[in-house]
Amino acid sequence: MKIYIGSDHAGVDLKTCVKERFGGRFEFNDLGTFTSESVDYPDFAHPVAENVLKDNGSFGILICGTGNGMAITANKHAGIRAALCWSPDIAALARQHNNANIIVLPARFISPETAIETFEAFFSAQFEGGRHQRRIDKINL
Ligand code: RB5
C-alpha cells in the first residue's frame, strides 16, 4: 500500500518514527519536511492531499503539532477525508465509519507509542459501507 506522508517541523520526529516502524509494511512517499526548521503546514498538507487524490487506492498521513492545521488544509480538497486521530479507537472508527483516506496525528499531544498504535489501528480497520457511505455521499458541497 502506498502512503504519502508529510509533516511540519513539529511533526518531523514522529514522521521519522512512523516510517522506521512501518517501513517494511508500507511504501512511504515522504513529501517533507525533513528538518526541524520552522515551516508552514499547508505547504505539506496540499501536496499530500493532491497525491492521495491522484493515486487511486493510496492513503496519506499528515503530522503537525495539534493536527488541526493539517486536517483543516487537507479537507479543503474534495474527496479527501482527513481524520485527526489521537487514539486507536478513534482511528479505527475513522476508517470504519468515515472511510478516511488521510490520518492526521497531533505530534505534541500524543506519545510515540500511542501514535504507533493509532496508526496500526487505522490501517487494520476496513470501511463498513452501508449507511456510512450514504453519509459520506452527502459531505461534498
Ligand atoms: C506549529 O507551531 C504549529 O502551529 C503547527 O504544528 C500546528 O499545530 C498547526 O495546526
Side-chain angles (χ1 to χ4, degrees):
M1 182 187 293
K2 194 186 275 183
I3 301 185
Y4 294 93
I5 186 167
S7 77
D8 70 358
H9 52 287
V12 70
D13 289 346
L14 185 55
K15 175 161 69 67
T16 301
C17 175
V18 167
K19 281 172 57 189
E20 281 174 5
R21 174 67 180 75
F22 292 103
R25 194 165 135 203
F26 298 101
E27 185 189 339
F28 286 107
N29 195 330
D30 192 342
L31 303 181
T33 189
F34 298 103
T35 73
S36 57
E37 187 184 335
S38 183
V39 290
D40 301 332
Y41 55 80
D43 294 339
F44 304 92
H46 286 307
V48 166
E50 284 159 5
N51 276 283
V52 168
L53 285 174
K54 262 191 284 177
D55 191 348
N56 226 356
S58 69
F59 283 84
I61 172 166
L62 286 167
I63 311 172
C64 67
T66 62
N68 275 324
M70 289 296 198
I72 290 167
T73 307
N75 281 319
K76 290 288 179 191
H77 295 256
I80 287 296
R81 292 174 300 280
L84 176 55
C85 297
W86 60 92
S87 78
D89 287 346
I90 297 273
L93 286 165
R95 288 287 306 127
Q96 291 162 353
H97 289 190
N98 311 115
N99 200 13
N101 47 15
I102 296 183
I103 177 173
V104 185
L105 296 171
R108 288 180 175 150
F109 297 89
I110 192 170
S111 69
E113 296 73 28
T114 303
I116 294 298
E117 288 168 17
T118 300
F119 182 92
E120 177 84 50
F122 185 89
F123 286 102
S124 300
Q126 304 290 326
F127 179 49
E128 290 175 358
R131 69 186 187 282
H132 302 297
Q133 183 61 55
R134 185 182 72 236
R135 292 162 186 166
I136 286 169
D137 290 341
K138 293 183 177 182
I139 291 176
N140 286 341
L141 298 173

